[in-house]
């Protein structure tokens, strides 16, 4: 079978592209190297999203579930655990090869976001040894942290949001290496009014414990402070890993992201891109922009494949 459209990546951009494609009756395949949901599920499932229109606040996991359910109900074929490795030219189609299978498709939308992203590490003593034993990079579900002493590291919106979530159910301390946060003013104000304890201008020296995390040692100037902890959450950003993108024959910008026209076209005919993986002047990496670009990319793919008289 030849798909009308294959979408690489099942984050908000890829799922939205799938939803639009099915409303246009395009046979649609969505492939994700990991799990459906992209950054929402892998990086901040517990966080509340306050800026997605239509929801005053929605937990990231729930927004991801809703997008997934909508794409599935519209009968997109969705495959998890399939990493796209190559996009080769076929006979009036493209051949997509993944780590497990091969597909033919008339058009492609690249929506791989930050790629196979990984949370950044702090490089502190004990960090590697205690990972998964009380040291995490993503806040576990609230039910699992009740009664635990949580110490979080980071100073951006995401770290503060996670600390606010944790503080609704347990004792939470947020440690930041600077004397001011680099987050939205409203988020900082909410933090100031919350029960989260803060340690500013402090760096992590070590995460301590034998079989599991027992405490952290931080340093402020010459002062060394031990804080008892059952759970340490490090939230200082992520490293993108765009994998094979530079071997797909797609023109990239200086920052290594996909160069697109206003209609989300790439340099390869029939291949479009959207979401965090694209770059243009003024690009703002948000869910709403990823979804908006996905609608445009899908419309362009539709015109390319179906060639409607009005296009
Ligand atoms: C901590 C944090 C908090 C945030 N909070 C907000 C917020 O409150 N509001 C907001 O609007 N935005 C927020 N964002 C930004 C938002 O998450 C991103 O802009 C959005 O996820 C981009 O969606 P995407 O679909 O382009 O990419 P992603 O969400 O990165 O999804 C890409 C998908 O592609 C898959 N993939 C990668 N490579 C391949 C491959 N070779 N083959 C197959 N699949 C592949 C990945 O597994 C992933 O599932 C936040 C970001 C972070 C890091």
């Amino acid at each position: 079978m030849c798909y009308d459209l294959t979408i690489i990546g099942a984050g908000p951009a890829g799922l939205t592209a799938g939803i639009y494609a099915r409303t246009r009756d395009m046979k649609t395949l969505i492939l994700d190297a990991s799990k459906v949901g992209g950054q929402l599920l892998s990086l901040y499932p517990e966080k509340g999203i306050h800026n997605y229109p239509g929801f005053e606040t929605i937990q990231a996991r729930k927004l991801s579930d809703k997008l997934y359910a909508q794409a599935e109900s519209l009968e997109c074929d969705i495959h998890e655990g399939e990493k796209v490795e190559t996009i080769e030219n076929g006979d009036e189609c493209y051949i997509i090869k993944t780590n497990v299978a091969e597909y033919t498709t008339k058009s492609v939308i690249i929506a791989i976001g930050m790629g196979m992203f990984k949370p950044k590490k702090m490089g502190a003593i004990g960090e590697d040894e205690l990972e998964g034993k009380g040291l995490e990079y993503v806040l576990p579900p609230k039910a699992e942290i009740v009664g635990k002493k949580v110490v979080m590291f980071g100073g951006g919106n995401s770290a503060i949001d996670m600390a606010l979530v944790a503080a609704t159910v347990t004792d939470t301390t947020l440690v930041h290496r600077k004397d001011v946060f680099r987050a939205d003013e409203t988020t900082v104000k909410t933090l100031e009014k919350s029960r989260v304890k803060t340690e500013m201008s402090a760096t992590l020296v070590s995460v301590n414990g034998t079989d599991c995390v027992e405490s952290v040692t931080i340093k402020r100037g010459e002062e060394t402070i031990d804080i008892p902890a059952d759970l340490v959450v490090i939230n200082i950003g992520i490293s993108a890993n765009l994998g094979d993108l530079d071997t797909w024959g797609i023109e990239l910008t200086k920052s290594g992201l996909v160069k697109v026209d206003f209609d989300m076209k790439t340099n390869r005919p029939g291949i479009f891109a959207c979401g965090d993986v694209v770059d243009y002047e003024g690009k703002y990496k948000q869910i709403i922009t990823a979804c908006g670009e996905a609608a445009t990319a899908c419309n362009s793919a539709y015109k390319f494949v179906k060639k409607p008289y009005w296009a």
Side-chain angles (χ1 to χ4, degrees), residues 85-219:
E85 289 168 351
T86 56
I87 310 174
E88 293 167 13
N89 290 328
D91 189 12
E92 296 193 10
C93 67
Y94 283 111
I95 300 160
I96 294 202
K97 290 188 180 162
T98 74
N99 53 328
V100 291
E102 193 175 300
Y103 305 93
T104 53
T105 184
K106 293 177 189 161
S107 66
V108 179
I109 292 180
I110 300 171
I112 61 171
M114 312 277 278
M116 306 298 295
F117 41 75
K118 281 197 183 132
K120 284 189 183 155
K121 296 196 166 206
M122 295 187 84
I125 298 164
E127 187 175 349
D128 287 341
E129 294 78 357
L130 291 166
E131 185 175 346
K133 297 174 185 166
L135 186 143
E136 303 290 343
Y137 295 89
V138 174
L139 183 70
K142 277 203 275 189
E144 289 177 23
I145 63 172
V146 177
K148 291 189 173 170
K149 287 193 185 67
V150 177
V151 181
M152 302 197 56
F153 289 84
N157 282 311
S158 166
I160 297 180
D161 280 339
M162 308 282 184
L164 290 169
V165 170
T168 59
V169 292
T170 200
D171 178 82
T172 306
T173 303
L174 178 61
V175 184
H176 183 38
R177 66 195 164 96
K178 302 271 185 188
D179 58 354
V180 282
F181 288 105
R182 55 175 167 78
D184 299 342
E185 287 76 359
T186 50
T187 306
V188 176
K189 277 188 189 148
T190 311
L191 177 75
E192 284 163 358
K193 286 189 222 139
S194 76
R195 296 191 307 168
V196 177
K197 295 173 222 158
T198 53
E199 294 284 355
M200 306 301 286
S201 308
T203 51
L204 174 62
V205 177
S206 60
V207 185
N208 315 310
T210 28
D211 295 332
C212 61
V213 169
E214 290 164 18
S215 68
V216 292
T217 304
I218 60 170
K219 197 168 183 201

Side-chain angles (χ1 to χ4, degrees), residues 228-245:
D230 304 303
L231 174 67
V232 172
V233 183
I234 294 174
N235 197 313
I236 57 165
I238 51 172
S239 315
N241 173 4
L242 292 166
D244 303 316
L245 178 65

